[in-house]
Amino acid sequence: MTAVPVAIGRRTTTPAPAPERGDGRLVDTHGRVHRDLRISLTDRCSLRCTYCMPEQGNEWLARTSILSTDEIEEVAQVAASLGIRTFRLTGGEPLLRADIVDVVRRISRIEGPDGPVEVAMTTNGITLAKKLPELIDAGLSRLNISIDTIDRQKFADLTRRDRLDDVLEGIAAAAASELRPLKLNAVAMRGVNDDELVDLVQFAMDVGAQLRFIEQMPLDSGHTWDRASMVTREEILESLGARWRLDPVPGRGGAPAEKWRIDGGPHEVGVIASVTAPFCGACDRLRLTADGQFRNCLFSNSEYDLGAVLRESAASSPAERAEAIAALLRSCVHGKLPGHAIDDPSFLQPARGMNAIGG
Ligand code: SAM
Ligand code: SF4
């Protein structure tokens, strides 16, 4: 097996090849089996959420570096053969990708060792209403839509775009579709939407969706994150607990959200507490950036250069190319640390913002 180049921050190094373990599935040195690959399709976006992107002056990925649909399909096939079962399309805003329906169609027809894979998407919902029928026809099976506020002025301030109506239209279309469970994501922020947490949950229940609050993470491309402005899991639960009885839902598995049943059910609410209650021990996720870098953690400063592997193996046979991609994925998994260490004084925020990593 050939050792493959890895970009670390701005440096490139060549790691020791990772051993192939067991049945070839993606098991890291801490025993975590990886089944979920998040593929960022673009770093561009129709919004400019303050916690994710700067208002202006973002350094965009070069268009020539963005993976083609053929390359994404090829990589997804290799990943599925190594046990990846769920592909989540994200960004930036995945619906900005002109060939988004084709991407969904090509990935959703892939079969892994355990059967057909699942294709999910995280989106801000803009243009979703128009594209949803085609996406479902192409094989999309699940949707997460992000909405941090249902107040029009706050939405415009927070996203720097007056497009709440477009998002609500997307949510209505998703709610009317057969895609379930339908999840709505909201980043909780002090002084921004922390007075609206109950209203957001009620809104989600009214449309038949599940609200998941996300603790704000140090992943904004402006590097302005500040722990003091982050609303914690405890504060979210306190606020919701004043309105409803919340009973923990057991059986979380590798899911990032802890869930609570609301007033005995059937509705549930989730909290993704990446900062105050990290769930790294059960993490089964890998990421592929739009410009072809594998990442084993949102917060990692190491990247594994798929683009280089694809270029170097351009003249190789399909089997050799697949093995080169598999070797890179194994190296990426092998290099995964036990946790993200946000609380460690030596923690360094990744150079990429969330929009360029893929949330
Ligand atoms: N544009 C799509 C969207 O907003 O759903 C997909 C990409 S976005 C990066 C994916 C998710 O990451 C969204 O739910 C967003 O709220 C979340 N996110 C972005 N920056 C974040 C941050 N600094 N902390 C926590 N969540 C963040
Ligand atoms: Fe765009 Fe999503 Fe980032 Fe908001 S969170 S700026 S919608 S990529």
Side-chain angles (χ1 to χ4, degrees):
M1 192 168 60
T2 339
V4 285
V6 174
I8 295 182
R10 291 182 188 192
R11 290 176 298 127
T12 296
T13 178
T14 303
E20 190 169 341
R21 295 160 67 106
D23 59 2
R25 298 203 184 208
L26 297 168
V27 187
D28 72 10
T29 55
H30 308 279
R32 296 170 293 196
V33 183
H34 291 76
R35 299 193 179 90
D36 182 315
L37 177 61
R38 302 184 172 209
I39 302 178
S40 176
L41 297 178
T42 174
D43 61 331
R44 317 262 161 160
C45 191
S46 38
L47 299 179
R48 292 287 182 279
C49 303
T50 51
Y51 51 74
C52 181
M53 293 172 80
E55 184 166 16
Q56 288 171 341
N58 207 31
E59 279 184 37
W60 304 109
L61 299 176
R63 286 192 191 270
T64 49
S65 70
I66 303 294
L67 292 178
S68 70
T69 306
D70 284 345
E71 289 167 336
I72 291 171
E73 182 182 13
E74 184 180 13
V75 171
Q77 265 162 353
V78 174
S81 75
L82 298 174
I84 295 291
R85 293 182 194 156
T86 302
F87 292 88
R88 175 168 294 281
L89 305 178
T90 180
E93 177 44 46
L95 293 176
L96 287 186
R97 180 127 177 170
D99 60 354
I100 181 66
V101 174
D102 195 30
V103 175
V104 171
R105 180 165 289 119
R106 294 214 217 169
I107 299 180
S108 65
R109 66 188 177 199
I110 295 173
E111 295 237 354
D114 306 315
V117 302
E118 187 178 54
V119 183
M121 185 186 293
T122 302
T123 169
N124 64 26
I126 294 173
T127 72
L128 179 64
K130 187 164 149 255
K131 294 174 183 157
L132 190 57
E134 272 191 285
L135 290 168
I136 293 175
D137 181 63
L140 184 72
S141 50
R142 276 192 295 125
L143 267 175
N144 287 12
I145 306 176
S146 304
I147 181 158
D148 303 316
T149 171
I150 44 176
D151 177 289
R152 185 164 178 179
Q153 188 55 50
K154 274 197 216 170
F155 185 93
D157 292 344
L158 174 62
T159 67
R160 296 150 171 153
R161 301 286 185 273
D162 183 11
R163 303 202 64 177
L164 177 62
D165 289 345
D166 297 314
V167 176
L168 294 176
E169 205 188 327
I171 292 174
S177 78
E178 69 263 36
L179 298 189
R180 288 296 183 279
L182 173 62
K183 295 179 184 169
L184 304 184
N185 291 350
V187 177
M189 283 159 285
R190 195 173 309 288
V192 178
N193 63 356
D194 54 345
D195 58 343
E196 231 189 313
L197 306 186
V198 164
D199 294 346
L200 281 163
V201 174
Q202 188 61 57
F203 169 77
M205 291 197 288
D206 291 346
V207 299
Q210 182 191 107
L211 206 286
R212 292 145 24 110
F213 289 107
I214 308 176
E215 283 184 345
Q216 189 178 350
M217 299 179 274
L219 288 169
D220 57 312
S221 55
H223 291 222
T224 58
W225 182 82
D226 158 25
R227 183 177 274 272
S229 66
M230 192 198 87
V231 180
T232 64
R233 168 190 180 278
E234 288 314 310
E235 290 171 299
I236 294 166
L237 292 177
E238 195 181 314
S239 173
L240 303 183
R243 170 73 177 79
W244 294 292
R245 195 184 90 227
L246 301 177
D247 300 310
V249 177
R252 176 179 180 187
E258 267 178 284
K259 290 192 289 184
W260 286 266
R261 197 162 291 121
I262 299 173
D263 272 351
H267 296 291
E268 293 176 351
V269 62
V271 179
I272 301 177
S274 314
V275 180
T276 65
F279 36 89
C280 305
C283 178
D284 68 351
R285 283 169 289 286
L286 298 170
R287 290 183 153 79
L288 177 59
T289 65
D291 60 341
Q293 300 287 334
F294 280 121
R295 299 176 60 91
N296 54 30
C297 176
L298 268 178
F299 300 99
S300 171
N301 283 299
S302 304
E303 297 189 334
Y304 296 74
D305 193 350
L306 173 68
V309 167
L310 294 177
R311 283 190 298 279
E312 281 161 20
S313 60
S316 308
S317 71
E320 284 168 342
R321 224 167 120 87
E323 182 41 42
I325 296 168
L328 185 68
L329 259 168
R330 281 191 216 104
S331 292
C332 176
V333 168
H334 186 69
K336 185 157 170 160
L337 298 174
H340 60 48
I342 292 177
D343 277 328
D344 194 293
S346 64
F347 173 74
L348 270 184
Q349 180 172 343
R352 287 176 188 263
M354 186 69 138
N355 69 303
I357 295 175

